[in-house]
Amino acid sequence: QVHLQESGPGLVKPSETLSLTCTVSGGSITSPTYYWGWIRQSPGKGLESIGSVYYSGTTYYNPSLKSRVTISVDTSKNQFFLKVNSVTAADTAVYYCARAYVGLGVYDSWGQGTLVTVSS
Amino acid sequence: EIVLTQSPGTLSLSPGERATLSCRASQSLTSSFLAWYQQRPGQAPRLLIYGASTRATGIPDRFSGSGSGTDFTLTISRLEPEDFAVYYCQQFGSSRLFAFGPGTTVDLK
């Protein structure tokens, strides 16, 4: 049973960089069957896909966030990462990491989510 | 870019009733890549249906999905207390991008 766990600062100052790590256990991040993605949810709002990464390092980004977002992977640590530059209060959200099944185009396993607040 | 619209925004029902949720796409979708998720308060979303109509592992058979092209439906045949939640449809596009609908809240009447 795969398990995903987000970690990182819960408070980030405006204009700075938000950085999160997702640690995967119970499965290998190098499996060709899966993408690894980030999704966020602003308070009281719906789900917004940020982007995803394949174990090879190939990335796919939401066009609305692409200019500020970097997703990367470290296969040696079974981790993948999210960076969002130049954050504002609008980036305050619960950030989820999740596993996506390539052949089905679905997120089949999710982390519990971590709240990141952008505030001075 | 394909946009998903869900209706109604809120569905107020009682336990035991039938819930019918709609997801409409701005362009025709490959049914293989239309999914439904349930999100209970304070929890991460949970995959319910993939391929428009296939239940994910462990999902009760009171949940069913149907549809093709631009119109898709999630039906909950008899609502249980734990089914009161928010439901999202999601599509996976040819550019390998995921997109979610705005959600439908099923709440207690």
Side-chain angles (χ1 to χ4, degrees):
Chain A
Q1 181 83 356
V2 71
H3 180 74
L4 297 94
Q5 180 67 58
E6 306 88 352
S7 59
L11 181 64
V12 181
K13 289 182 168 54
S15 80
E16 295 190 345
T17 297
L18 179 161
S19 296
L20 294 175
T21 297
C22 184
T23 301
V24 179
S25 57
S28 174
I29 206 167
T30 61
S31 169
T33 309
Y34 301 106
Y35 298 115
W36 304 92
W38 290 96
I39 304 97
R40 71 181 184 180
Q41 186 170 35
S42 299
K45 303 296 184 183
L47 302 170
E48 180 180 31
S49 181
I50 300 171
S52 61
V53 63
Y54 200 47
Y55 75 96
S56 62
T58 300
T59 51
Y60 307 93
Y61 296 124
N62 182 332
S64 69
L65 296 167
K66 185 174 183 176
S67 64
R68 297 193 297 124
V69 168
T70 303
I71 298 175
S72 58
V73 61
D74 185 336
T75 56
S76 67
K77 295 182 178 179
N78 232 33
Q79 295 177 325
F80 62 106
F81 311 96
L82 171 70
K83 291 188 186 299
V84 183
N85 300 325
S86 306
V87 296
T88 68
D91 295 306
T92 293
V94 174
Y95 286 76
Y96 295 99
C97 62
R99 184 183 77 174
Y101 195 101
V102 171
L104 298 179
V106 296
Y107 285 114
D108 65 349
S109 292
W110 295 65
Q112 66 184 21
T114 187
L115 174 63
V116 179
T117 301
V118 178
S119 174
S120 56
Chain B
E1 178 189 348
I2 297 177
V3 177
L4 298 177
T5 304
Q6 292 186 242
S7 61
T10 301
L11 198 51
S12 297
L13 295 167
S14 301
E17 289 193 295
R18 181 184 187 90
T20 303
L21 288 67
S22 173
C23 176
R24 179 162 290 177
S26 58
Q27 302 172 38
S28 185
L29 298 183
T30 302
S31 296
S32 301
F33 296 133
L34 190 286
W36 290 91
Y37 298 79
Q38 176 194 66
Q39 188 178 31
R40 294 172 176 149
Q43 295 186 15
R46 175 175 72 142
L47 177 65
L48 294 177
I49 300 285
Y50 62 89
S53 60
T54 302
R55 279 187 300 277
T57 302
I59 301 303
D61 61 7
R62 64 179 181 274
F63 291 92
S64 63
S66 63
S68 63
T70 59
D71 291 298
F72 298 87
T73 300
L74 175 69
T75 302
I76 311 170
S77 59
R78 289 178 55 86
L79 283 164
E80 297 287 342
E82 62 268 26
D83 299 337
F84 292 92
V86 182
Y87 293 84
Y88 296 94
C89 58
Q90 172 251 311
Q91 65 98 9
F92 181 64
S94 57
S95 54
R96 298 293 186 262
L97 297 177
F98 295 80
F100 293 92
T104 290
T105 300
V106 178
D107 67 11
L108 201 54
K109 189 174 183 181

